[in-house]
């Protein structure tokens, strides 16, 4: 087995290779220093993969990373890999899982259809859609949980309680809390628009406590910041925001100033990436038949 990483996911790919004790194949991403002036992607495998089971790790965000994934998958197949497992840690374009209006593209399926051209199976994490969509993908697909990694971090940070900022994140907070060994609770969120959320008031037992707020994605930070304000108003001593996928777009950094610490995994790289989900993906790869 060999592991290849696209440029969105090199540290995670290296981590997975280390966990599995297999070779990591380097990739050149630029033909000329500075790359192509029009922003097109270039890839070249710098080691042989012929006859190998290759694990290709690449998040499909931002959009050019999708093209890079397809170029790498094609290069790996063309140079004779026996089997190709795609690990897409953050499934960008995974949000749309249904056709709501005539003529819309069901983007999650579109991306999966193209991954299936060269890949035998797909592993992903916390897809930003109803996970039922994975059953409609044209290749065997498994969602791997990042919550054990987040739970381990929050345990070492000595949080007293975990909180889901909405009911959708409840199962995540529950899973992380079983690893961290602390209780969990949840808030009720109402989304007003892409940038604004409202949280229903609810009495929580957080006075003087260190609280971890757990979500799948932090995008604008509106959800977590609104939850953190409520927690601080109820006397929480410390609020740690934790997510699997840290996108941190638009006003996120300003919104998140209310939090004492912000942590994200290495599915999307950012200054808040402090936790690796390499052990979780490595375990899922070991379990492949
Ligand atoms: C949606 O409900 C998700 O679980 C997240 O809560 C949401 O995507 C976070 O977005 P934002 O950071 O923009 O509030």
């Amino acid at each position: 087995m060999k592991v290849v990483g696209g440029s969105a996911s090199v540290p995670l790919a290296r981590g997975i290779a280390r966990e599995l004790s297999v070779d990591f194949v380097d990739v050149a991403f630029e033909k000329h220093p500075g790359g192509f002036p029009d922003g097109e992607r270039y890839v070249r495998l710098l080691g042989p993969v012929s006859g190998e089971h290759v694990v290709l790790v690449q998040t499909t965000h931002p959009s050019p990373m999708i093209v890079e994934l397809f170029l790498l998958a094609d290069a790996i197949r063309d140079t004779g890999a026996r089997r190709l497992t795609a690990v897409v840690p953050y499934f960008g374009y995974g949000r749309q899982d249904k056709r709501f209006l005539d003529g819309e593209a069901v983007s999650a399926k579109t991306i999966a259809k193209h991954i299936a051209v060269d890949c035998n199976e797909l592993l992903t994490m916390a897809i930003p859609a109803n996970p039922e969509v994975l059953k409609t993908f044209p290749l065997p697909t498994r969602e791997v949980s990042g919550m054990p990694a987040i739970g381990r971090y929050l345990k070492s940070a000595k949080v007293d309680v975990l909180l889901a900022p909405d009911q959708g994140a409840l199962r995540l907070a529950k899973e992380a809390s079983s690893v961290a060994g602390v209780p969990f609770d949840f808030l009720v969120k109402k989304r007003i628009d892409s940038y604004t959320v409202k949280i229903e008031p609810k009495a929580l037992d957080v006075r003087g406590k260190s609280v971890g707020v757990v979500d799948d994605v932090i995008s604008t930070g509106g959800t977590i910041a609104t939850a953190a304000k409520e927690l601080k108003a109820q006397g929480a001593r410390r609020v740690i925001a934790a997510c699997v996928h840290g996108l941190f777009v638009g006003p996120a950094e300003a919104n998140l100033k209310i939090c004492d610490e912000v942590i994200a995994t290495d599915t999307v790289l950012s200054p808040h990436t402090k936790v690796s989900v390499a052990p979780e993906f490595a375990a899922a790869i070991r379990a492949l038949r």
Side-chain angles (χ1 to χ4, degrees):
M1 178 180 281
K2 293 194 174 182
V3 178
V4 174
S7 66
S9 301
V10 170
L12 176 56
R14 282 190 183 278
I16 292 172
R18 257 194 316 274
E19 290 283 333
L20 295 171
S21 303
V22 301
D23 285 342
F24 177 79
V25 180
D26 276 311
V27 175
F29 294 108
E30 285 180 0
K31 193 165 190 175
H32 311 289
F36 295 123
D38 58 6
E40 285 190 0
R41 308 304 302 166
Y42 167 87
V43 299
R44 180 178 167 225
L45 298 167
L46 297 177
V49 295
S50 178
E52 296 283 348
H53 175 183
V54 177
V55 175
L56 169 59
V57 188
Q58 172 77 326
T59 269
T60 51
H61 169 87
S63 303
M65 297 301 108
I66 301 171
V67 178
E68 215 180 74
L69 171 68
F70 297 154
L71 295 177
L72 280 167
D74 188 47
I76 290 166
R77 273 296 192 211
D78 258 7
T79 48
R82 165 176 64 81
R83 178 175 178 181
L84 180 52
T85 303
V87 172
V88 178
Y90 173 64
F91 200 98
Y93 283 83
R95 201 174 280 127
Q96 182 141 9
D97 55 10
K98 277 196 197 94
R99 178 165 293 117
F100 298 98
L101 299 170
D102 282 351
E104 281 183 345
V106 184
S107 60
K109 268 177 79 179
T110 310
I111 300 295
K113 194 163 85 182
H114 288 87
I115 291 173
V117 170
D118 284 309
C119 301
N120 299 92
E121 62 254 317
L122 166 65
L123 300 176
T124 188
M125 188 167 273
I127 188 161
N130 182 342
E132 286 294 302
V133 73
L134 303 181
K135 294 184 187 152
T136 70
F137 285 5
L139 75 173
T141 302
R142 201 191 130 196
E143 195 175 38
V144 177
S145 175
M147 283 303 123
I150 298 224
R152 286 194 298 274
Y153 184 93
L154 293 173
K155 184 176 187 174
S156 70
K158 297 194 172 15
V159 294
D160 301 306
V161 60
L162 293 192
L163 193 91
D166 56 30
Q167 272 164 306
L170 185 53
R171 70 184 171 95
L172 307 179
K174 189 175 175 187
E175 194 184 342
S177 77
S178 73
V179 176
V182 296
F184 66 94
D185 206 334
F186 69 97
L187 287 165
V188 178
K189 173 177 95 177
K190 197 171 161 214
R191 182 166 286 285
I192 313 294
D193 59 39
S194 299
Y195 290 88
T196 326
V197 295
K198 239 180 94 182
I199 295 243
E200 299 288 328
K202 173 181 172 184
L204 299 159
D205 181 18
V206 293
R207 183 156 299 280
K209 291 187 177 168
S210 174
V211 187
V213 187
V214 179
D215 209 347
D216 52 354
V217 181
I218 296 180
S219 180
T220 66
T223 300
I224 290 268
T226 309
K229 267 181 217 139
E230 180 65 25
L231 289 164
K232 291 264 170 147
Q234 294 197 29
R237 175 172 52 83
R238 183 172 163 77
V239 174
I240 304 180
C243 67
V244 179
H245 309 306
L247 303 180
F248 306 114
V249 301
E253 295 301 337
N255 283 341
L256 293 167
K257 282 209 162 73
I258 178 119
C259 301
D260 298 280
E261 187 179 353
V262 179
I263 66 143
T265 76
D266 50 1
T267 59
V268 180
L269 299 173
S270 78
H272 301 293
T273 299
K274 293 184 191 162
V275 178
S276 180
V277 289
E280 282 63 38
F281 277 117
I285 292 162
R286 272 189 218 105
L288 292 172
R289 284 155 199 265

